[in-house]
Amino acid sequence: TQSTWGLSNGPSPDTMSKTTSLCDSISSHAWNADRSMIAVAPNNNEVHIFDTKGSTDTTKWERLYILAEHDQTVTSVDWAPQSNQILSASQDRNAYVWNFDGTDWKPTLVILRINRAATHVRWSSDGAKFAVASGAKVVPVCYFEPSGNWWISKMIKRHRSTVMSVDWHPNGRVLATGCSDYKCRILSAYVEEVDSKKSVSGPFASITSFGEVLYEFDNSRGWVHSAMWAPSGYALAFAGHDSTISFVNFDDQGNKLSEKEPQLIKWKGLPFKSLLFLADNSLAAAGYDCSISLFMQNVDNSWGFVRNLEDEQQSTTTEKVSGFSAAKNLFQTKVTRAGPAIGGAKQNDANIPPVNKHYNAITCLRPFAPSRKGLSTITSSGVDGRLLFWPLSTLESEFASLTVTEG
């Protein structure tokens, strides 16, 4: 049975949003529960809250609030659907939990006790706690203490360098991290005050410890930019700066399905920076190639590349080219795709290739709308300041006919 993300339907994503930049640059974005509002971190010390007006056309959106409590660049934002609380983290080493009082958003400072920048944040699936990646080689796991009316943090100290990303297992007892020490780790993050009240099942359901390294994967030869759990919690994916993407599958007890895992796929393009499972058996990956690549799980549990989401021509065969031609094509692609942003071109310059909707690195992928068997729409944002909608309604039928390759 396919697990799906439990999302509410927002504006109808019938067509791709216009390619006008929402901001000069976007480092992160997050949706509220019904997808009527979005929080955007425009690569400065602010968080902007937009009302979408029920439209996927960003030129019609209205900016309602500017959250400006941070002193330095906001690196990551997340929005808890259950509590309607916004979480922000910054290079100023702080995190804030924002609550709406009916007229404005009020910040609550979280004492993280870190001496380096906060790099990434994520709420647990129930919104009862959150994790913060940091340059201090630690991951604060925070939960609310009603008696003191504040957020308390507990430290996971198992990393040897900057932690780049965090992602919660759906049961909220286990955390996956990507680190610049070239490792992806699965760590226990059970908090007695919060998790003892909940009953969970599936992989890692028996975990009752905190800060224990359950798995440490070192098959990447570069920074691990992103780690992401499948919606059911039976699979994990992580991407490295060496242009690799890895997949691990688990059984009901949390054991790897095979000793050969993680499965490593060597990507022919530039590194991925953000991952997003569309369903248990399909994943979207995006990053420095300025495009979104789709991966799919085979019946034997192995994973492979399907196609790029931007491709207008889908073929079940791959054209064979020489090593020199492949290198030449790769270089030309980078010049035409990322070149305009580096050179200072605006979004309506004629030399920006129409084949790509983003013309600089994609920094964030987010779920937007569900379907019966997964996500029907996702959103992406990037260094170019664009925020785009990607309808996926035809993917299910396409997957049945497309050939899975090693990338």
Side-chain angles (χ1 to χ4, degrees), residues 70-350:
H70 286 287
D71 296 327
Q72 297 183 31
T73 302
V74 175
T75 54
S76 184
V77 293
D78 201 14
W79 203 323
Q82 299 86 351
S83 63
N84 196 38
Q85 293 175 309
I86 297 174
L87 174 63
S88 63
S90 168
Q91 293 176 1
D92 62 9
R93 302 170 293 174
N94 291 322
Y96 286 96
V97 175
W98 300 82
N99 293 275
F100 191 65
D101 64 0
T103 57
D104 205 354
W105 290 91
K106 302 298 183 183
T108 300
L109 177 64
V110 181
I111 307 300
L112 297 179
R113 296 179 290 131
I114 57 176
N115 58 7
R116 296 291 187 275
T119 57
H120 194 246
V121 290
R122 281 296 180 267
W123 288 103
S124 60
S125 59
D126 61 0
K129 55 186 179 179
F130 61 85
V132 183
S134 76
K137 309 179 187 178
V138 298
V139 176
V141 174
C142 307
Y143 63 97
F144 189 72
E145 175 54 59
S147 61
N149 195 32
W150 62 351
W151 290 87
I152 296 177
S153 62
K154 297 181 67 175
M155 292 294 187
I156 295 179
K157 303 178 180 180
R158 298 290 185 174
H159 303 85
R160 298 170 186 167
S161 190
T162 297
V163 185
M164 311 289 288
S165 67
V166 290
D167 194 49
W168 287 97
H169 189 274
N171 67 18
R173 298 190 176 195
V174 169
L175 195 65
T177 64
C179 187
S180 58
D181 62 6
Y182 301 179
K183 290 177 171 54
C184 174
R185 294 174 176 86
I186 299 177
L187 303 127
S188 62
Y190 179 89
V191 176
E192 177 72 24
E193 292 82 351
V194 175
D195 298 314
S196 61
K197 306 171 186 177
K198 299 179 294 183
S199 176
V200 297
S201 60
F204 309 106
S206 62
I207 296 298
T208 57
S209 61
F210 182 87
E212 178 186 358
V213 178
L214 306 178
Y215 288 98
E216 185 175 272
F217 305 119
D218 60 356
N219 51 323
S220 176
R221 294 297 176 265
W223 298 354
V224 179
H225 284 292
S226 179
M228 181 76 182
W229 287 103
S232 67
Y234 281 87
L236 173 73
F238 57 94
H241 196 67
D242 57 346
S243 294
T244 61
I245 184 169
S246 302
F247 296 89
V248 194
N249 300 291
F250 300 94
D251 62 18
D252 289 334
Q253 287 70 46
N255 301 313
K256 292 190 300 179
L257 287 185
S258 170
E259 287 302 318
K260 296 181 180 179
E261 296 188 4
Q263 176 196 351
L264 178 72
I265 296 177
K266 295 182 178 179
W267 183 240
K268 295 178 182 177
L270 296 178
F272 296 123
K273 190 170 175 60
S274 183
L275 304 177
L276 178 65
F277 274 93
L278 309 178
D280 284 332
N281 66 343
S282 57
L283 175 132
Y288 296 99
D289 264 337
C290 315
S291 61
I292 300 177
S293 302
L294 302 179
F295 293 82
M296 178 183 174
Q297 188 180 34
N298 284 307
V299 292
D300 63 354
N301 292 318
S302 65
W303 290 78
F305 170 70
V306 177
R307 69 172 177 87
N308 285 332
L309 195 56
E310 298 87 345
D311 289 347
E312 296 180 358
Q313 301 293 330
Q314 294 125 34
S315 173
T316 58
T317 60
T318 302
E319 180 183 359
K320 295 183 179 180
V321 296
S322 67
F324 176 79
S325 297
K328 179 180 178 182
N329 292 339
L330 179 63
F331 175 77
Q332 289 176 336
T333 300
K334 301 308 158 278
V335 170
T336 56
R337 287 183 178 178
I342 296 173
K346 302 301 181 183
Q347 61 267 19
N348 51 4
D349 279 3

Side-chain angles (χ1 to χ4, degrees), residues 327-374:
K328 179 180 178 182
N329 292 339
L330 179 63
F331 175 77
Q332 289 176 336
T333 300
K334 301 308 158 278
V335 170
T336 56
R337 287 183 178 178
I342 296 173
K346 302 301 181 183
Q347 61 267 19
N348 51 4
D349 279 3
N351 63 335
I352 296 177
V355 69
N356 259 81
K357 305 303 176 182
H358 282 285
Y359 62 89
N360 208 323
I362 297 173
T363 56
C364 185
L365 295 176
R366 285 292 197 171
F368 181 75
S371 69
R372 187 173 60 88
K373 291 190 175 182

